[in-house]
Amino acid sequence: MGSAIARNLIKAGHTLSVYNRTRSRSEAFASLGVRVAETPDEAASNAEVLITMLADDAAVQSVIYSPGNAIGALPAGAVHISMSTISVVLSRQLAESHREKQQHYLAAPVFGRPDAAAAAKLFIVAAGPAEQLERCRPLFDAIGQKTFLAGEEAQAANVIKLAGNFLITTVIESLGEAFAFGRKFGVDPHAFLDILTNSLFTAPVYRNYGSMIASDNFEPAGFKLPLGFKDNRLLLAAAEEAAVPMPMASLVHDRFVAALAQGLGEADWAAIARISYQSAGLRKEVTE
């Protein structure tokens, strides 16, 4: 996702310095005239805007706070846009840390798979100070098809992102159960998918994940299952802090655990639907 975002910013005429913890992934940008930084602080020094797109809280904390960190090198008045799916707690911490450094912070997680990122068709949910949101609008326009503004408190964008991903997992879970039910009665899964997605459920989320589930094919992964599990855990932690019962999220949590126990760590997160097939005694039938 980060590479696709960087390429679209380059296409839009922005000057970039890039850093990746895996050096080989950033070296591909050298041929595009982009400065390849050796460390996070080198990438952040003299930057007007620092964009992070990383896997989890630990990765963001490492880049921002660890020795050779970005926050120490980012100039006063610059803005950090965190596009990662991170915890509500870390988003609050980042906002405060940047405030102490006279820097600005925006949370701007995205909805969309890698193909959407490559096509600059991401949906961006951005929150933070209004002046900084407007300042960064040209960047959002270069990488996404629409930007939704979620208010002055940056953490609101992270809450919305986690809630959105939760809803996707409930779609995947319900599709898995429905397809297991249909298969058990001999209904062709692709015919079933065609009926559902051309009548009641026309949204792309049903078409895309329904196709994977109908085919029982979850590789190559657009969004790996452990990352989906991470988002589920972040949601449940935030829900516990706010005293919000989320029984469906707890059910999905157990699906992720079962899928990982079945060795599906490299599969797309939609592979939690395979657990419904196995529970219905259908897995052997599907693979034959």
Side-chain angles (χ1 to χ4, degrees):
M1 296 286 280
S3 294
I5 288 170
R7 289 179 187 278
N8 284 321
L9 289 171
I10 294 166
K11 287 179 186 177
H14 298 284
T15 301
L16 270 63
S17 175
V18 299
Y19 169 77
N20 194 297
R21 291 173 299 162
T22 304
R23 171 77 186 188
S24 60
R25 293 180 181 174
S26 57
E27 286 177 345
F29 287 91
S31 63
L32 301 176
V34 172
R35 182 166 72 97
V36 177
E38 296 287 343
T39 59
D41 61 332
E42 183 183 332
S45 62
N46 301 316
E48 292 183 46
V49 178
L50 170 69
I51 298 175
T52 52
M53 174 58 93
L54 295 157
D56 52 27
D57 280 29
V60 174
Q61 289 169 320
S62 175
V63 165
I64 298 299
Y65 294 117
S66 293
N69 60 72
I71 198 169
L74 193 67
V79 57
H80 171 201
I81 305 174
S82 173
M83 307 195 84
S84 312
T85 303
I86 59 173
S87 69
V88 175
V89 169
L90 179 56
S91 192
R92 288 196 205 110
Q93 179 185 338
L94 288 167
E96 181 58 31
S97 296
H98 285 296
R99 192 177 300 114
E100 291 173 357
K101 294 279 188 179
Q102 288 77 53
Q103 301 157 352
H104 306 288
Y105 172 71
L106 299 177
V110 302
F111 290 117
R113 291 168 70 86
D115 56 342
K121 294 295 185 183
L122 294 168
F123 291 105
I124 301 163
V125 181
E131 182 180 345
Q132 301 306 317
L133 289 169
E134 192 59 33
R135 172 187 180 184
C136 295
R137 186 176 290 278
L139 303 178
F140 298 145
D141 290 345
I143 62 179
Q145 60 178 299
K146 185 167 184 175
T147 300
F148 299 90
L149 302 184
E152 293 267 340
E153 295 295 326
Q155 68 179 28
N158 304 102
V159 169
I160 292 167
K161 170 62 175 174
L162 292 175
N165 278 12
F166 160 67
L167 289 170
I168 294 172
T169 61
T170 62
V171 168
I172 292 168
E173 171 63 21
S174 61
L175 284 171
E177 293 181 24
F179 275 84
F181 174 71
R183 281 185 187 274
K184 204 71 185 234
F185 283 90
V187 174
D188 179 86
H190 295 284
F192 187 35
L193 174 66
D194 183 64
I195 293 166
L196 292 179
T197 56
N198 285 291
S199 58
L200 298 173
F201 305 105
T202 59
V205 67
Y206 286 96
R207 294 181 183 276
N208 295 337
Y209 290 114
S211 179
M212 292 185 195
I213 295 166
S215 300
D216 193 39
N217 184 7
F218 305 103
E219 295 182 13
F223 187 62
K224 286 190 176 181
L225 193 143
L227 292 175
F229 186 32
K230 176 264 298 183
D231 293 351
N232 173 267
R233 296 198 307 274
L234 294 181
L235 173 87
L236 285 169
E240 181 175 334
E241 178 189 357
V244 180
M246 299 191 75
M248 282 293 294
S250 297
L251 169 63
V252 169
H253 175 276
D254 289 348
R255 294 300 203 214
F256 276 118
V257 172
L260 289 170
Q262 295 294 327
L264 295 173
E266 292 298 312
D268 193 274
W269 66 335
I272 62 170
R274 188 169 284 173
I275 306 305
S276 292
Y277 285 167
Q278 292 173 336
S279 297
L282 291 167
R283 180 72 189 124
K284 184 174 184 296
E285 171 197 313
V286 169
T287 55
E288 287 180 347

